[in-house]
């Protein structure tokens, strides 16, 4: 308790300037909402359709903000609604959505914090005199990350204001296809109308229907603002969120277990997924396979997790300090009143089917994680939102291309990919029509480190992996690129442009690599899977 009081006091001092600035914006936003009806009446005469706004965007995440600003820049009168319902543990956050507040940004920063800790081993081998047991100040790490997020929240609100977008911090619920009711935190309500709407509310973590799940467990919505280290932690699920969290918590010296029902990283290349799991297990993360939780119970200051092994039927229990649920996400559309607007959506997942972001209702659109069968990625939502606004208000015709979208999983060994997984390529084209080039490698930066932990090399010889999948009948066009290793996201982003342009294996072969880099692996790939030749590197 004393530590928490000290942390809270320090937190208040550090963020005083942000709080003052945010208070000013809240007063301005409140005034905007209170005066909205009058202001809208004055503006409506200038809008030929007779509604108060040309566009109302429901959701202030990355996609919603991009869509709002682009529409306003093209001359539309725009309002953006955003409201964060607190988690069962009471966590809430500011404008910007999942990515900024409880997703990509804090995840990458904690991942980096873990990488820095691991680099101490390299530093000692390079001659730096460092103690073996370097300690992490958890409160300082979290404080710095949250301060940075606060600055982003402020920046987004300023950007909306500068682009003349009306920001409404309220929960929106459709009354009909052109009317939405906005409910503020204090319960006050205002109704606004618009010619067009964009639903961009994103998703939230899914809770299982198990005793104690909501009351005792946390999710990725909570982990990045914990005031103290989570201690012995169970990550339930095998999604990228679960593995990323388990990875950085292990690197931050927490005792971490991952409970897996079936396979790791469903939807990703399974050869790579298995390599990620193996690496994590060798480097300190414990895995419990083919097992599910059945109940969560409070025992003193611990959480007793009751579990069942699906293969053997054996049941058991184990105590943890923290349980993080990472069992997928659902679109938060069920309370939006979509039925009143006539919008069709999947009631089990909240997802909205749409063609070119247009729902079954002609004036209502959807972008981002709420879309059915689309990637749940921040850059996808941003690009789709900007293109949509350009079509609606700028006369553009270009649509979002959801194919060959690159992404990276920030596990301890990062995994970057673009195009098809090997499983998808085989299913689509047939194994006989593919050539798969592979290489194991060790980054040069690791080569002087011979330290071991529990009999395992800190920097293993063949832990990193490159895979290129080509389609033989089309001049060996590259249809899938996968890389497992440091800075995989940076490597993948560059090659994604080439693959988007239809690059072939010959294009990769005739490109001169930059030496010594890990990315140059893709310019020197010779070994194919079908050859059976050992793909491990023998030198630099």
């Amino acid at each position: 308790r004393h530590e928490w009081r000290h942390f809270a006091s320090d937190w208040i001092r550090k963020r005083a300037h942000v709080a003052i600035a945010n208070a000013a914006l809240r007063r301005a936003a409140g005034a905007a909402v209170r005066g909205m009806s009058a202001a809208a009446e004055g503006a409506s005469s200038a809008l030929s359709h007779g509604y108060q706004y040309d566009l109302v965007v429901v959701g202030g995440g990355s996609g919603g903000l991009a869509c709002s600003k682009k529409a306003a820049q093209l001359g539309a009168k725009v309002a953006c609604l955003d409201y964060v319902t607190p988690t069962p543990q009471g966590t809430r956050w500011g404008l910007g959505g999942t990515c900024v507040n409880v997703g990509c940004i804090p995840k990458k920063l904690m991942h980096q914090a873990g990488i820095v800790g691991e680099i101490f081993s390299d530093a000692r081998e390079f001659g730096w005199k460092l103690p073996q047991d370097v300690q992490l100040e958890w409160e300082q790490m979290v404080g710095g990350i949250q301060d940075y997020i606060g600055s982003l929240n402020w920046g987004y609100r300023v950007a909306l204001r500068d682009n003349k977008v009306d920001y409404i911090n309220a929960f929106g619920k459709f009354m009909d296809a052109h009317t939405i009711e906005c409910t503020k935190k204090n319960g006050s309500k205002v109704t606004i109308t618009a010619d067009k709407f964009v639903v961009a509310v994103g998703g939230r973590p899914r809770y299982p229907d198990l005793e104690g799940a909501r009351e005792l467990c946390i999710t990725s919505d909570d982990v990045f603002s914990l005031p103290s280290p989570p201690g012995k932690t169970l990550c339930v699920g095998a999604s990228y969120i679960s593995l990323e969290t388990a990875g950085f918590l292990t690197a931050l010296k927490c005792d971490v277990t991952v409970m897996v029902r079936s396979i790791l990283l469903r939807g990703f290349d399974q050869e790579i997924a298995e390599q990620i799991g193996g690496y994590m297990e060798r480097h300190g993360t414990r895995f419990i396979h083919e097992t599910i939780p059945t109940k969560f119970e409070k025992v003193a200051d611990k959480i007793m997790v009751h579990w069942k092994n699906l293969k053997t039927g054996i049941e058991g229990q184990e105590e943890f300090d923290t349980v993080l649920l990472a069992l997928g996400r659902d679109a938060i559309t069920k309370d939006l009143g979509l039925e009143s607007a006539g919008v069709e959506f999947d009631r089990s997942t909240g997802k909205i089917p749409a063609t070119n972001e247009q729902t079954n209702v002609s004036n209502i659109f959807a972008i981002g994680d709420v879309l059915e069968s689309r990637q749940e990625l921040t850059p996808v939502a941003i690009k789709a939102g900007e293109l949509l606004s350009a079509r609606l208000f700028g006369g553009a015709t270009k649509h979002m291309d959801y194919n060959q979208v690159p992404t990276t999983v920030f596990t301890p060994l990062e995994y970057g990919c673009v195009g098809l997984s090997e499983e998808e390529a085989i299913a689509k084209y047939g194994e006989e029509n593919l050539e798969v080039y592979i290489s194991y490698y060790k980054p040069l930066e690791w080569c002087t480190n011979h330290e071991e932990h529990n009999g395992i090399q800190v920097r293993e010889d063949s832990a990193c992996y490159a895979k290129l999948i080509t389609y033989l009948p089309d001049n060996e066009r590259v249809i899938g690129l996968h890389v497992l290793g440091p800075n995989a996201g940076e490597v993948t982003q560059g090659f994604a442009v080439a693959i988007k342009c239809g690059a072939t294996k010959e294009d990769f072969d005739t490109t001169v690599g930059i030496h010594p880099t890990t990315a140059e692996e893709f310019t020197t790939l010779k070994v194919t899977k079908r050859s059976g030749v050992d793909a491990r590197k023998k030198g630099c």
Side-chain angles (χ1 to χ4, degrees):
R1 292 176 182 172
H2 173 74
E3 290 178 353
W4 167 243
R5 286 196 299 269
H6 173 75
F7 175 66
S9 177
D10 184 57
W11 181 269
I12 292 170
R13 287 195 300 272
K14 288 171 66 180
R15 299 196 65 190
H17 64 289
V18 175
I20 292 170
N22 281 341
L25 272 179
R26 281 195 297 271
R27 288 193 296 272
V33 173
R34 288 192 296 273
M36 190 175 303
S37 297
E41 287 174 7
S44 62
S45 60
L47 302 178
S48 60
H49 45 64
Y51 300 107
Q52 294 169 310
Y53 288 95
D54 294 308
L55 176 69
V56 169
V57 177
V58 187
S62 301
L65 292 175
C67 183
S68 299
K69 290 184 290 184
K70 184 67 173 180
Q73 289 162 8
L74 291 169
K77 181 172 175 57
V78 182
C80 180
L81 276 65
D82 188 62
Y83 185 83
V84 178
T85 301
T87 72
Q89 303 303 321
T91 307
R92 62 167 65 242
W93 49 90
L95 180 63
T98 295
C99 175
V100 169
N101 293 283
V102 291
C104 320
I105 298 301
K107 177 269 300 290
K108 180 70 178 294
L109 291 173
M110 286 199 176
H111 170 67
Q112 179 64 20
I115 288 174
V116 170
E118 293 173 341
I119 287 176
F120 291 139
S121 173
D122 298 328
R124 282 189 290 268
E125 295 295 302
F126 275 119
W128 290 94
K129 301 304 179 184
L130 298 172
Q132 287 291 329
D133 190 22
V134 179
Q135 298 297 311
L136 170 74
E137 288 289 342
W138 178 275
E139 295 83 355
Q140 181 177 345
M141 177 189 68
V142 171
I145 291 172
Q146 291 300 319
D147 280 349
Y148 176 65
I149 291 171
S151 72
L152 295 178
N153 298 148
W154 163 263
Y156 293 135
R157 297 176 76 164
V158 170
L160 288 181
R161 183 189 64 193
D162 290 348
N163 283 280
K164 296 181 173 55
V165 175
D166 288 342
Y167 167 55
I168 307 172
N169 185 201
F171 183 85
K173 184 175 182 179
F174 284 96
M175 310 303 289
D176 59 46
H178 288 283
T179 309
I180 195 164
E181 181 183 71
C182 311
T183 303
K184 295 184 68 180
K185 183 180 178 181
N186 63 8
S188 63
K189 298 181 179 181
V190 63
T191 299
I192 59 175
T193 62
D195 182 42
K196 297 178 176 65
F197 288 90
V198 173
V199 179
V201 294
R204 295 289 287 270
R206 184 180 303 145
Y207 285 84
D209 187 18
L210 295 176
E211 181 182 335
R214 288 183 173 272
E215 298 82 1
L216 301 177
C217 302
I218 67 170
T219 68
S220 56
D221 282 353
D222 306 291
V223 70
F224 302 110
S225 55
L226 292 177
S228 58
K232 183 182 178 183
T233 302
L234 174 68
C235 294
V236 182
S239 64
Y240 73 89
I241 293 175
S242 181
L243 296 188
E244 287 177 338
T245 304
F248 70 66
L249 288 180
T250 299
L252 297 175
K253 308 304 181 185
C254 296
D255 179 0
V256 183
T257 299
V258 178
M259 184 174 285
V260 181
R261 179 178 63 86
S262 54
I263 63 173
L264 303 179
L265 296 177
R266 186 178 300 278
F268 289 90
D269 190 282
Q270 283 303 291
E271 180 184 28
I272 307 286
E274 291 176 7
Q275 291 181 21
I276 290 171
Y279 181 89
M280 290 179 65
E281 199 156 18
R282 292 193 301 274
H283 290 265
T285 304
R286 172 186 170 216
F287 282 78
I288 305 175
H289 293 276
E290 297 182 294
T291 302
I292 59 171
T294 56
K295 183 173 71 171
F296 304 100
E297 182 182 12
K298 187 72 171 177
V299 178
D301 61 344
K302 305 288 185 180
I303 301 172
M304 181 67 75
V305 179
H306 299 260
W307 52 264
K308 179 179 180 179
N309 184 281
L310 298 175
K311 185 176 182 179
T312 64
I314 294 175
E315 298 183 1
Q317 58 188 35
E318 185 174 348
E319 287 186 347
F320 293 89
D321 297 306
T322 302
V323 177
L324 182 139
L325 302 174
L327 299 166
R329 298 172 65 84
D330 293 321
I332 48 176
T333 55
K334 297 178 183 178
D335 296 323
L336 289 183
L338 293 178
E339 305 96 327
S340 300
V343 177
E344 297 175 355
F345 68 104
D346 187 322
R347 294 179 184 275
S348 62
T349 65
K351 296 282 189 175
I352 301 173
T355 301
N356 295 326
E357 294 78 52
Q358 184 169 13
T359 71
N360 63 298
V361 178
S362 62
N363 71 302
I364 299 178
F365 303 82
I367 60 172
D369 292 5
V370 300
L371 284 178
E372 189 174 78
S373 303
R374 297 304 186 196
Q375 299 95 330
E376 296 181 3
L377 297 169
T378 294
V380 170
I382 292 172
K383 183 74 72 177
E386 291 176 340
L387 289 173
L388 174 60
S389 285
R391 294 197 305 276
L392 294 178
F393 302 106
T397 58
K398 189 173 184 179
H399 291 92
M400 176 66 190
D401 183 358
Y402 291 96
N403 296 309
Q404 296 174 320
V405 173
T407 190
T408 293
V409 180
F410 290 96
T411 38
L413 275 186
E414 296 177 10
Y415 167 34
C417 59
V418 59
L420 302 178
S421 68
E422 190 170 349
E423 292 82 7
E424 291 170 334
I426 291 172
K428 184 172 183 177
Y429 295 113
E431 191 169 7
E432 69 280 4
N433 291 314
L434 305 177
E435 197 72 87
V436 181
Y437 296 85
I438 58 173
S439 174
Y440 293 91
Y441 66 93
K442 184 175 186 177
L444 178 64
E445 296 87 341
W446 289 10
C447 291
T448 64
N449 189 344
H450 306 291
E451 186 176 340
E452 293 186 355
H453 287 170
N454 300 319
I456 300 295
Q457 286 181 299
V458 173
R459 300 305 194 187
E460 297 180 63
D461 286 336
S462 298
C464 302
Y465 190 63
K467 176 193 284 192
L468 204 64
I469 306 170
T470 68
Y471 182 46
L472 290 168
D474 190 12
N475 195 30
E476 281 205 275
R477 176 169 54 87
V478 177
I479 59 174
L481 179 147
H482 304 264
V483 57
L484 181 64
N487 306 306
E490 311 296 339
V491 172
T492 306
Q493 183 66 81
F495 285 122
V497 177
I499 292 173
K500 191 80 172 175
C501 293
T504 65
K505 179 61 166 63
E506 184 179 8
D507 292 326
F508 276 72
D509 290 343
T510 57
T511 297
V512 176
I514 300 172
H515 188 70
T517 64
T518 57
E520 71 174 318
E521 286 293 321
F522 287 100
T523 68
T524 61
L525 290 173
K526 297 291 190 297
V527 176
T528 65
K529 269 195 169 183
R530 74 172 82 241
S531 73
V533 174
D534 188 352
R536 287 175 292 183
K537 299 291 286 186
K538 304 287 192 301
C540 68

